[in-house]
Amino acid sequence: VMEGSRGGRLITDSADNTVYCNTRFRDICKDVGNPSLKTLSRLFQGDEETLAHFRMLAEQAQRGLTDSIELQSRLGDREAWYVVTAQPISGWAGYVHWRVDDITQRRAIDRAIREEREKLIDFTDNAPVGFFSVNEEGRFVFVNATLARWLGEDIETILSKGRLHTYFQDV
């Protein structure tokens, strides 16, 4: 089960010695040393704050607490993101099961989506037409700057207080 896992798996004893690691964990550590908890921590040495978060995770695990954290690794010009989970092994005092999932690709996709969304917002805000979206109660959920200017209101007021029927005019 551990060898077939999508994530890197490491089991350490109470002295942080490696009891087991799978192939994926070896692959994650290959550029920084032999697979171990100390080698895993080397992935985060480029940033003191990140390394401090990793150390806190390790300390919590030794106290019997399970936790996960997303951490960034910078080795040379390579940037990678990992979700690191530390889970004490029930019935085995001091033993910790570490799971390391590489989420670099997911983070890159999320960043690309966010950048495209920002471009779309910028485009709609600067378009020469008014754009809006309302929910089923007629409350605005999106208004571009052009429409807000036409209505003589600021965007925040329209989104917090405005309803579509408020801006209809009887003819």
Side-chain angles (χ1 to χ4, degrees), residues 35-167:
S36 67
L37 186 60
K38 186 175 181 177
T39 301
L40 179 60
S41 73
R42 284 189 202 131
L43 288 174
F44 311 113
Q45 285 182 341
D47 180 354
E48 283 303 314
E49 186 177 343
T50 301
L51 187 55
H53 287 299
F54 177 78
R55 287 181 180 143
M56 187 180 344
L57 181 68
E59 289 170 11
Q60 286 179 309
Q62 286 300 326
R63 290 194 322 259
L65 303 172
T66 299
D67 204 357
S68 293
I69 190 168
E70 286 188 15
L71 298 171
Q72 182 182 30
S73 171
R74 292 180 191 236
L75 296 175
D77 62 346
R78 183 176 175 262
E79 175 185 279
W81 282 89
Y82 300 98
V83 172
V84 181
T85 303
Q87 178 180 19
I89 299 174
S90 180
W92 292 78
Y95 280 68
V96 179
H97 171 214
W98 295 86
R99 180 180 173 128
V100 183
D101 292 295
D102 187 337
I103 59 165
T104 306
Q105 187 174 16
R106 187 186 86 201
R107 295 275 306 209
I109 291 168
D110 289 347
R111 184 180 323 128
I113 290 169
R114 197 170 40 256
E115 288 170 0
E116 287 303 312
R117 190 173 289 140
E118 288 170 10
K119 287 178 189 176
L120 180 61
I121 289 169
D122 185 52
F123 170 77
T124 58
D125 269 350
N126 296 303
V129 295
F131 287 105
F132 71 92
S133 177
V134 293
N135 65 17
E136 52 277 348
E137 288 103 32
R139 293 191 184 280
F140 287 93
V141 292
F142 173 79
V143 176
N144 74 340
T146 303
L147 183 63
R149 195 171 47 255
W150 290 349
L151 296 174
E153 303 268 10
D154 63 85
I155 293 173
E156 296 305 318
T157 300
I158 296 171
L159 292 176
S160 64
K161 299 178 183 173
R163 292 183 138 210
L164 185 59
H165 74 274
T166 306
Y167 299 99

